[in-house]
Amino acid sequence: MDFINSQTVGAKFQPSLTSSSHSPYRFLSSTTVAYSPSSSTMAPPVTVNSINPKVVECEYAVRGDIVILAQKLQEEIKAKPSAHPFEEILYCNIGNPQSLGQQPITFFREVLALCDHPSLLDRNETHGLFSKDSIQRAWKILDQIPGKATGAYSHSQGVKGLRDAIAAGIEARDGFPADPNDIFLTDGASPAVHMMMQLLVRSENDGILCPIPQYPLYSASIALHGGTLVPYYLDEATGWGLEVSNLKKQLGAAKSKGIDVRALVVINPGNPTGQVLAEENQMEIVKFCKEEGLVLLADEVYQENVYVPEKKFHSFKKVSRSMGYGEKDIHLVSFQSVSKGYYGECGKRGGYMEITGFGADVREHIYKLASVNLCSNISGQILASLVMSPPKVGDESFESYGAERDGIISSLARRAKTLEDAFNKLEGVTCNKAEGAMYLFPRINLPEKAIKAAGEARTAPDAFYCRRLLTETGIVFVPGSGFGQVPDTWHFRCTILPQEEKIPAVVTRLTDFHKRFMDEFRD
Amino acid sequence: MDFINSQTVGAKFQPSLTSSSHSPYRFLSSTTVAYSPSSSTMAPPVTVNSINPKVVECEYAVRGDIVILAQKLQEEIKAKPSAHPFEEILYCNIGNPQSLGQQPITFFREVLALCDHPSLLDRNETHGLFSKDSIQRAWKILDQIPGKATGAYSHSQGVKGLRDAIAAGIEARDGFPADPNDIFLTDGASPAVHMMMQLLVRSENDGILCPIPQYPLYSASIALHGGTLVPYYLDEATGWGLEVSNLKKQLGAAKSKGIDVRALVVINPGNPTGQVLAEENQMEIVKFCKEEGLVLLADEVYQENVYVPEKKFHSFKKVSRSMGYGEKDIHLVSFQSVSKGYYGECGKRGGYMEITGFGADVREHIYKLASVNLCSNISGQILASLVMSPPKVGDESFESYGAERDGIISSLARRAKTLEDAFNKLEGVTCNKAEGAMYLFPRINLPEKAIKAAGEARTAPDAFYCRRLLTETGIVFVPGSGFGQVPDTWHFRCTILPQEEKIPAVVTRLTDFHKRFMDEFRD
């Protein structure tokens, strides 16, 4: 971090006017040259042709064309309620539960409000407004924050006391130790994923194994950092199964092309595919990563979203530790977020990654990357600690908290089942079960005539279907092409998040639309 | 955003197993190759030699070696109070006011608490606990958020109603129109700066003109995105003056080396240098950027931190509009943050950038970059709207708010003056006035013997001084080498943030240390 003159010791170099290959950043020499202020030498204005092509190439479908159209229609309805044949836009494009009416967990919000305005804790009226344990918890959290200053930058990894709580939560979940120094709190899981891609990707010769279909954060992040996405297909026929033989095949193919594969992304429970991995399957994956020296990037943000009794979430950390693999055996990063689960606190931008198996020197660089953005937001940090240490038996809020949590999860399970059944009743549509996460990813066998019409409209067949669905019903799905799919198969992603009382209307509108669509295009 | 089969229309391509130069991301072909699972072909484990060299090269001094040492000493004091010859670490390394005891503005925190836990608004007790206008403002903000859902992802640019309030605040500040669609809310100013660097930097042949000394976010971000920092020196002798002739010279030098200079960074008020630019100077800068087709990246996060009556903050937007330059004349980005000003809400991670002069197609890509991280945290968004639309005459909180604000600003002004005077009394030290921002950047004329001792300790002379200061007094400064400085000159950055009652002790400890240091090393 300290630069010194090369004359003095020669080991490090001060950033100076002389360019040096050892300079900590490319620092241009200032050899004086006559200045020629003429518009002929003027830099061209900033256009799409002169911005970073990696930015231009990157795609992000869950906020893409269809969603922009939906926002436009919504504004038209606002201006003129009869503008379209529906009263509202139903956003099934993104896992954003509270935007569709899901209520936040009361205890979490009580604690956040008290930490935001700690002088409430000195007032008598507060006891009438807040639960006893929320007040206790707020005190505890404030005591963990240096100077009780919720408005101060924290340690770059996040407040140490909050990381202690998260580590304790991980230990309780897994039955294996967790180290608070392995936790990096982030503004949601997305910045954590970017940080790891930035660390691992050096050039287009570096590859990241990603599932297809995948959550487009991964393709976007790999594109932005200039790496190569090495795809492995999930098997739709076996409920989006993840075959290690397929991983091996794709890794071999990548190597034969000179790609240095750095990491494997696994999303469990799956997004957009909703499958929950079996523990034996996870063990094979861990073994594969260990053998191949791959970093295992485990997207575990849906760890609380499991809807079928026959499946259970197991963290990759637990699985690898239970196989006897420790710090020295495998590089493992687990991502968690406050945006998902039963809490669904997307707007709070809280999350963390737990990093194990990296050497101290590499971790220093991860710490530096975290430091360049100073720290993640403290409310999000507090919430991340709360979701990993919710009320316990004996706490005043325990029962109401449990009722809120179970109500949300069981309702999500019912909604997933109802929508799955509805999709499977549609002509030419098949839909795997959502065992977990917040999505269904049905496959649609589109008639040739529809594919031809899409071609004429210069759009992908699945996007053609989704666009028609939106303009006729107000329902927003994301076309499968945004996630990747086996060529010449078509899908769309639909969240299970519309409120339960709205699900029948969604099913009716979708079913009627689908019939009309098929009647129009059936071969 | 939609990909379609090349067979169908040939215009866009579906991400498929076949690699294609038109693919939206580098998507590896899956030609099957025999898998050879052997540790001889195993990828090497992740080491410093196999991570992204841009990450390794990037430096970030305000959280660098000295700060890591300070944290270590703090833990030692916690374990054993007599471990060091001081009772506490005094962090003057970073603009983090609330970590040193500055209290948040009450009105802002009231509104945040109510928005975090909106059910408070339905309770009678709330009226006894909160000001009338904070309750009204919370209602207004909740009405602006779709579904009143503060836990939902917002529009990628931020909640529209909050952007309306910010645009109105900019208009009131500048006297020129502001468009809410030009506002991008971000988790503090740092992610906004990264976003612009990511957009503008294509390769090491792209340069960004940056002041030296500079806030190391800029050098770090340019390094991470692989560009070239083109330095222009601020003139210490004229109070860190910014000479446009110098900009022209450095631009010419960069061009002659084949560097395509994309943007000019100006930090006003200055960090680490504390100067406030004169309006005439700003006009020259605007004209220069217009003539040269450079994006003007205006870091205006210290816009509320001006301490001298003879200087006033003028936004570059106001200056350029008052010169008659509109959207078509200049690419201008202004960064603002909730972390600075009199509010100092660093932990909330709120901020925005106002982007003008970019075409609709380029803005679409900026929107996409914002979308990949979904949105910034909603509390930070709310706070950004509040700092740009604080209580007004007639509001219940107006007086107490004004008293809190003025108390903080006038105290900062006194602290800046006291520290400036103290530095100027030290042997071999000269210090420009802090007209604004939160820092002093004194120059220290180190004796040859100290420079030699630093060389022997393999550290930079200014870092050597700062390290000695820390270990002997507990005071944390950042060495000037972390910000850049004229070669063979030495500085350090000191914040003006220690609470006023602690300033005399800081001055005494510093003065005593400095005398000892000079006695030891005086030539």
Side-chain angles (χ1 to χ4, degrees):
Chain A
M1 210 53 60
D2 308 324
F3 317 138
I4 46 178
N5 266 328
S6 51
Q7 308 93 285
T8 319
V9 297
K12 288 179 171 184
F13 293 79
Q14 151 144 6
S16 76
L17 285 180
T18 358
S19 74
S20 154
S21 60
H22 296 77
S23 170
Y25 31 86
R26 274 186 68 84
F27 207 85
L28 192 73
S29 151
S30 73
T31 322
T32 308
V33 163
Y35 173 68
S36 51
S38 89
S39 52
S40 66
T41 65
M42 181 178 139
V46 178
T47 67
V48 170
N49 295 324
S50 69
I51 62 175
N52 182 354
K54 291 173 193 160
V55 172
V56 177
E57 279 161 24
C58 140
E59 301 274 355
Y60 193 65
V62 297
R63 288 259 172 117
D65 286 352
I66 293 271
V67 184
I68 290 169
L69 175 60
Q71 287 165 344
K72 188 172 155 274
L73 299 183
Q74 188 170 34
E75 279 171 31
E76 289 169 2
I77 292 172
K78 208 173 153 189
K80 189 182 160 203
S82 65
H84 294 283
F86 40 85
E87 285 164 17
E88 60 168 350
I89 301 291
L90 212 64
Y91 288 99
C92 301
N93 59 301
I94 189 165
N96 193 10
Q98 295 190 26
S99 74
L100 296 176
Q102 182 176 308
Q103 291 306 301
I105 299 292
T106 306
F107 175 80
F108 295 165
R109 292 303 192 98
E110 287 181 311
V111 177
L112 288 182
L114 292 168
C115 291
D116 260 349
H117 191 35
S119 65
L120 291 174
L121 291 164
D122 302 325
R123 303 283 295 272
N124 277 332
E125 297 95 319
T126 299
H127 293 274
L129 278 172
F130 291 83
S131 65
K132 245 186 222 135
D133 52 336
S134 72
I135 291 173
Q136 287 162 352
R137 186 66 75 93
W139 274 119
K140 187 176 167 193
I141 287 170
L142 289 171
D143 284 339
Q144 288 166 335
I145 298 177
K148 305 196 195 315
T150 55
Y153 295 127
S154 70
H155 186 283
S156 305
Q157 289 183 234
V159 173
K160 173 64 165 54
L162 300 176
R163 287 185 277 131
D164 289 341
I166 290 170
I170 294 171
E171 287 188 7
R173 180 194 71 194
D174 292 347
F176 290 96
D179 184 342
N181 295 319
D182 293 342
I183 310 286
F184 284 72
L185 282 152
T186 51
D187 291 310
S190 301
V193 170
H194 287 304
M195 219 188 286
M196 290 311 299
M197 294 300 174
Q198 188 157 43
L199 186 83
L200 294 172
V201 174
R202 294 161 296 188
S203 74
E204 62 184 26
N205 292 325
D206 281 337
I208 307 289
L209 269 162
C210 278
I212 298 294
Q214 51 103 31
Y215 176 47
L217 166 65
Y218 293 98
S219 51
S221 188
I222 293 167
L224 286 174
H225 293 103
T228 294
L229 190 153
V230 181
Y232 66 91
Y233 277 73
L234 301 173
D235 182 18
E236 185 162 13
T238 59
W240 301 113
L242 196 173
E243 289 293 330
V244 172
S245 60
N246 186 22
L247 292 179
K248 291 179 179 173
K249 195 181 82 181
Q250 295 300 86
L251 176 67
K255 282 184 179 176
S256 77
K257 291 181 181 296
I259 299 292
D260 188 352
V261 180
R262 313 293 321 267
L264 167 69
V265 172
V266 179
I267 311 174
N268 179 46
N271 176 6
T273 41
Q275 83 283 19
V276 177
L277 296 179
E279 197 171 1
E280 303 70 44
N281 196 186
Q282 291 183 269
M283 291 169 77
E284 293 175 314
I285 294 165
V286 167
K287 190 158 168 281
F288 169 74
C289 287
K290 179 188 183 320
E291 282 176 2
E292 299 297 340
L294 298 178
V295 178
L296 176 49
L297 300 173
D299 182 334
E300 301 182 325
V301 301
Y302 297 100
Q303 56 189 264
E304 300 277 1
N305 298 93
V306 178
Y307 308 120
V308 292
E310 67 272 23
K311 288 288 181 80
K312 200 177 168 316
F313 168 78
H314 303 280
S315 78
F316 272 104
K317 171 113 172 290
K318 172 185 164 183
V319 170
S320 56
R321 294 295 178 266
S322 66
M323 293 166 74
Y325 292 169
E327 276 285 330
K328 302 227 162 140
D329 296 303
I330 183 164
H331 299 297
L332 172 61
V333 183
S334 165
F335 302 99
Q336 164 69 319
S337 169
V338 305
S339 303
K340 310 301 170 187
Y342 54 89
Y343 18 93
E345 292 275 18
C346 302
K348 298 296 176 190
R349 310 312 288 124
Y352 71 80
M353 55 179 178
E354 183 191 14
I355 293 184
T356 54
F358 292 84
D361 47 357
V362 172
R363 290 173 53 123
E364 263 179 41
H365 290 289
I366 303 175
Y367 175 80
K368 186 177 63 185
L369 276 180
S371 295
V372 174
N373 275 331
L374 296 163
C375 68
S376 61
N377 83 86
I378 305 293
S379 296
Q381 291 190 26
I382 292 170
L383 195 48
S385 84
L386 293 174
V387 306
M388 297 306 285
S389 59
K392 291 188 176 48
V393 184
D395 294 344
E396 183 181 294
S397 298
F398 179 70
E399 273 193 36
S400 59
Y401 153 77
E404 288 175 8
R405 178 197 60 202
D406 297 346
I408 290 166
I409 292 290
S410 59
S411 168
L412 285 172
R414 287 191 298 272
R415 287 179 255 172
K417 187 78 185 80
T418 305
L419 286 168
E420 174 204 326
D421 291 346
F423 282 125
N424 278 316
K425 280 187 193 139
L426 300 182
E427 178 186 352
V429 173
T430 53
C431 183
N432 279 326
K433 188 185 285 188
E435 299 173 330
M438 294 181 172
Y439 316 99
L440 292 159
F441 198 66
R443 176 172 175 176
I444 176 165
N445 195 0
L446 287 167
E448 272 309 314
K449 218 169 130 189
I451 293 173
K452 195 155 166 273
E456 282 158 11
R458 303 187 72 77
T459 184
D462 50 2
F464 180 76
Y465 180 92
C466 289
R467 187 173 281 264
R468 288 281 293 257
L469 176 72
L470 169 61
T471 54
E472 293 187 26
T473 68
I475 299 172
V476 192
F477 289 171
V478 185
S481 38
F483 304 89
Q485 52 199 346
V486 170
D488 295 320
T489 71
W490 308 108
H491 299 76
F492 41 84
R493 187 182 83 163
C494 163
T495 72
I496 58 171
L497 298 174
Q499 286 301 285
E500 215 161 348
E501 63 273 19
K502 292 199 176 172
I503 295 280
V506 173
V507 169
T508 306
R509 279 150 80 178
L510 172 69
T511 306
D512 292 351
F513 161 80
H514 188 79
K515 191 172 175 307
R516 282 199 308 278
F517 184 93
M518 294 302 279
D519 286 348
E520 182 177 345
F521 292 105
R522 198 178 291 108
D523 297 318
Chain B
M1 208 56 56
D2 308 322
F3 318 137
I4 48 178
N5 264 329
S6 50
Q7 308 93 288
T8 320
V9 296
K12 290 179 170 184
F13 293 79
Q14 151 145 10
S16 75
L17 286 180
T18 359
S19 74
S20 154
S21 60
H22 296 78
S23 171
Y25 29 87
R26 277 186 66 85
F27 206 85
L28 193 75
S29 152
S30 73
T31 322
T32 309
V33 162
Y35 173 68
S36 51
S38 89
S39 51
S40 65
T41 65
M42 182 178 140
V46 179
T47 68
V48 171
N49 295 324
S50 70
I51 63 176
N52 182 354
K54 291 174 194 160
V55 171
V56 176
E57 279 161 25
C58 140
E59 302 275 353
Y60 193 65
V62 297
R63 289 261 171 116
D65 285 352
I66 294 271
V67 184
I68 290 169
L69 175 60
Q71 287 166 344
K72 188 173 154 273
L73 299 183
Q74 187 170 35
E75 277 171 33
E76 289 169 4
I77 292 171
K78 207 173 152 189
K80 189 183 161 202
S82 65
H84 295 283
F86 41 85
E87 283 164 19
E88 60 169 349
I89 301 291
L90 212 64
Y91 288 99
C92 301
N93 60 301
I94 188 166
N96 192 10
Q98 296 191 27
S99 75
L100 296 177
Q102 182 175 308
Q103 291 306 300
I105 299 291
T106 306
F107 174 80
F108 294 166
R109 293 304 192 97
E110 287 181 311
V111 177
L112 287 183
L114 292 169
C115 290
D116 259 351
H117 192 35
S119 64
L120 291 173
L121 290 164
D122 303 325
R123 302 283 293 273
N124 276 333
E125 296 94 323
T126 299
H127 293 274
L129 278 173
F130 291 83
S131 65
K132 248 187 221 132
D133 53 335
S134 73
I135 292 173
Q136 285 162 352
R137 186 67 77 93
W139 274 119
K140 186 176 168 192
I141 286 170
L142 290 170
D143 283 340
Q144 287 167 335
I145 299 176
K148 304 196 196 314
T150 55
Y153 295 128
S154 70
H155 186 283
S156 305
Q157 290 184 233
V159 173
K160 173 65 166 53
L162 300 175
R163 286 186 278 130
D164 290 340
I166 290 169
I170 294 171
E171 288 187 6
R173 182 192 69 193
D174 292 345
F176 289 96
D179 184 342
N181 294 319
D182 293 341
I183 311 286
F184 285 72
L185 283 151
T186 51
D187 291 311
S190 301
V193 170
H194 286 305
M195 219 188 285
M196 290 311 300
M197 294 299 175
Q198 188 156 44
L199 186 83
L200 293 173
V201 173
R202 294 161 296 188
S203 75
E204 61 184 26
N205 292 325
D206 282 338
I208 307 289
L209 269 163
C210 277
I212 297 296
Q214 52 104 30
Y215 176 48
L217 166 65
Y218 293 97
S219 51
S221 188
I222 293 167
L224 286 173
H225 293 103
T228 293
L229 189 153
V230 181
Y232 65 92
Y233 277 74
L234 301 174
D235 182 19
E236 187 164 12
T238 58
W240 300 113
L242 197 172
E243 289 294 328
V244 171
S245 60
N246 186 22
L247 292 179
K248 289 179 180 173
K249 194 180 82 179
Q250 296 299 86
L251 176 66
K255 281 184 179 175
S256 77
K257 291 181 181 296
I259 298 292
D260 188 353
V261 180
R262 313 296 318 269
L264 167 69
V265 172
V266 179
I267 311 175
N268 179 45
N271 176 5
T273 41
Q275 83 285 21
V276 178
L277 296 180
E279 198 172 359
E280 303 70 45
N281 196 186
Q282 291 183 270
M283 292 169 78
E284 294 176 313
I285 294 165
V286 167
K287 189 158 168 280
F288 169 74
C289 287
K290 179 188 184 316
E291 282 176 2
E292 298 298 339
L294 299 178
V295 179
L296 176 49
L297 300 173
D299 182 335
E300 301 183 324
V301 302
Y302 296 100
Q303 57 188 264
E304 300 276 2
N305 298 94
V306 179
Y307 308 119
V308 291
E310 66 273 23
K311 289 287 180 82
K312 199 175 167 318
F313 168 78
H314 303 280
S315 78
F316 272 104
K317 171 112 173 291
K318 173 186 163 182
V319 170
S320 57
R321 293 295 177 266
S322 67
M323 293 168 73
Y325 292 169
E327 276 286 330
K328 301 223 163 141
D329 296 303
I330 183 165
H331 300 298
L332 173 60
V333 184
S334 165
F335 302 100
Q336 164 66 321
S337 169
V338 305
S339 303
K340 310 303 170 185
Y342 54 89
Y343 17 93
E345 291 277 18
C346 303
K348 297 297 174 187
R349 311 310 290 122
Y352 70 80
M353 55 180 178
E354 183 191 14
I355 292 183
T356 54
F358 292 85
D361 47 357
V362 172
R363 292 173 52 122
E364 262 180 42
H365 290 289
I366 303 174
Y367 175 79
K368 185 177 63 185
L369 276 180
S371 295
V372 173
N373 275 333
L374 297 163
C375 67
S376 61
N377 82 86
I378 305 293
S379 297
Q381 292 189 25
I382 291 171
L383 195 48
S385 83
L386 293 174
V387 305
M388 297 306 285
S389 59
K392 290 188 176 51
V393 184
D395 292 346
E396 183 181 296
S397 297
F398 179 71
E399 273 192 38
S400 59
Y401 154 77
E404 289 175 9
R405 179 197 59 200
D406 297 344
I408 290 167
I409 291 289
S410 58
S411 168
L412 286 172
R414 286 192 299 272
R415 287 179 255 173
K417 188 78 186 81
T418 305
L419 287 169
E420 175 203 326
D421 291 345
F423 283 126
N424 279 316
K425 280 186 193 138
L426 300 182
E427 177 186 353
V429 173
T430 53
C431 183
N432 279 326
K433 190 184 282 189
E435 300 173 328
M438 295 182 170
Y439 316 99
L440 291 160
F441 197 65
R443 177 172 174 177
I444 176 164
N445 195 359
L446 286 167
E448 272 308 314
K449 216 169 133 191
I451 293 173
K452 194 154 167 275
E456 282 158 12
R458 302 187 72 75
T459 184
D462 50 3
F464 180 74
Y465 180 91
C466 290
R467 187 173 283 263
R468 288 282 291 259
L469 175 71
L470 169 60
T471 53
E472 295 188 26
T473 69
I475 299 173
V476 191
F477 290 171
V478 185
S481 39
F483 304 88
Q485 52 199 347
V486 171
D488 296 320
T489 70
W490 309 108
H491 300 76
F492 42 82
R493 189 182 82 163
C494 163
T495 72
I496 58 170
L497 299 174
Q499 284 301 285
E500 216 163 346
E501 62 273 19
K502 292 199 175 171
I503 295 281
V506 174
V507 170
T508 307
R509 278 150 80 178
L510 172 68
T511 306
D512 293 349
F513 161 79
H514 188 77
K515 190 172 177 309
R516 284 198 308 278
F517 184 91
M518 294 304 279
D519 287 347
E520 182 176 346
F521 292 107
R522 199 178 290 107
D523 297 318

